[in-house]
Amino acid sequence: MRALDRVIDGLDIETYLVCSSEQEGKDLALRLGEELHLGEVDLMFQEFDGYGMRVRIRKYVHKPGDPYRWLDAFGGGREKGEGA
C-alpha cells in the first residue's frame, strides 16, 4: 500500500506568495495547485500583508463518504471477528 493511500482526508500546502493584492494572491494560489498537477484545490487560509500573501491550499484525497483506501489496510474497518 502506498503512503498516499493512508491519507485520511487531504494534503495541505502552505507558502508565501509575492503579490500586489489579495485577489492576485488568491489567483496565484489556485494556479499553484494547477501547476503542481493537483487539480482542483481549496483555499483554506489567506493573509495579505501589503507585500504578498500567506496561503494554505488543500487537495482532498478523500472527501466525506468516499471509499477510504486506508480502511483496506485495517480489514475494511471491521473489528476482528465481525461477520461478512
Side-chain angles (χ1 to χ4, degrees), residues 14-58:
E14 186 169 341
T15 192
Y16 186 89
L17 299 168
V18 177
C19 56
S20 58
S21 70
E22 192 170 329
Q23 186 59 51
E24 182 185 15
K26 289 179 185 180
D27 294 342
L28 287 169
L30 297 176
R31 192 175 340 151
L32 179 62
E34 292 173 12
E35 290 177 6
L36 292 173
H37 304 285
L38 297 175
E40 183 181 335
V41 296
D42 294 318
L43 186 57
M44 305 304 290
F45 173 81
Q46 61 193 36
E47 183 177 62
F48 183 71
D49 65 7
Y51 299 100
M53 194 158 84
R54 167 83 39 206
V55 297
R56 183 179 318 116
I57 59 175
R58 177 171 293 161

Side-chain angles (χ1 to χ4, degrees), residues 52-68:
M53 194 158 84
R54 167 83 39 206
V55 297
R56 183 179 318 116
I57 59 175
R58 177 171 293 161
K59 172 61 180 176
Y60 282 99
V61 176
H62 298 105
K63 291 188 178 184
D66 284 350
Y68 304 117

